[in-house]
Amino acid sequence: MTKTEQLVTSITKGIQEKKGQDIVIIDLRRTDGAIASYFVICQGNSPTQVEAIAESVAETARKETSEKPANVNGLGNSQWVAIDYIDVIVHIFLPETRSYYAIEDLWEDAEQTNLPNID
């Protein structure tokens, strides 16, 4: 497992710890002009949950891989939080914001992995 793949695993674990829903991992390594190797997309049901997921992702990634984000955008309004780990970009949405932007659909040719929700 590469360091980037380990980071994706830690990120998804952080999302699942705070009951993030509808996790999609998009593998962009074979996509020309992609800004990252992976996108990890999920949603929370409230701004509070979106923020809790973002904190859990950052903490889990730091503990398990010693990675810190290069940038975090969207905290405070918490409808869409983007966490940039350079090779991996995490998008945490409220459901209505996620459906409006539909970023999963931008890379339909990329391999997408949908993880089952954990109750």
Side-chain angles (χ1 to χ4, degrees):
M1 187 180 282
T2 68
K3 189 172 181 173
T4 302
E5 290 167 339
Q6 289 173 332
L7 179 58
V8 169
T9 299
S10 292
I11 288 166
T12 56
K13 184 175 172 186
I15 292 167
Q16 290 170 330
E17 283 180 5
K18 295 299 178 184
K19 305 279 191 261
Q21 298 288 299
D22 300 328
I23 302 168
V24 177
I25 301 167
I26 303 176
D27 184 343
L28 298 168
R29 292 176 294 179
R30 293 183 192 89
T31 304
D32 290 338
I35 59 171
S37 297
Y38 291 93
F39 272 15
V40 179
I41 304 166
C42 71
Q43 66 192 40
N45 292 317
S46 68
T48 304
Q49 186 184 17
V50 167
E51 209 152 306
I53 293 166
E55 290 171 11
S56 179
V57 164
E59 186 176 324
T60 306
R62 183 182 49 78
K63 282 182 181 173
E64 293 187 355
T65 67
S66 301
E67 292 285 336
K68 293 181 181 173
N71 203 352
V72 179
N73 288 311
L75 289 174
N77 110 6
S78 298
Q79 293 182 28
W80 176 4
V81 176
I83 308 172
D84 185 355
Y85 285 97
I86 310 298
D87 274 350
V88 182
I89 300 177
V90 184
H91 299 275
I92 308 163
F93 289 100
L94 286 177
E96 56 274 15
T97 308
R98 182 178 186 171
S99 62
Y100 178 80
Y101 287 102
I103 63 175
E104 290 103 316
D105 298 338
L106 297 175
W107 289 279
E108 291 175 345
D109 57 335
E111 181 183 332
Q112 294 191 16
T113 304
N114 295 285
L115 300 183
N117 290 332
I118 296 175
D119 293 327

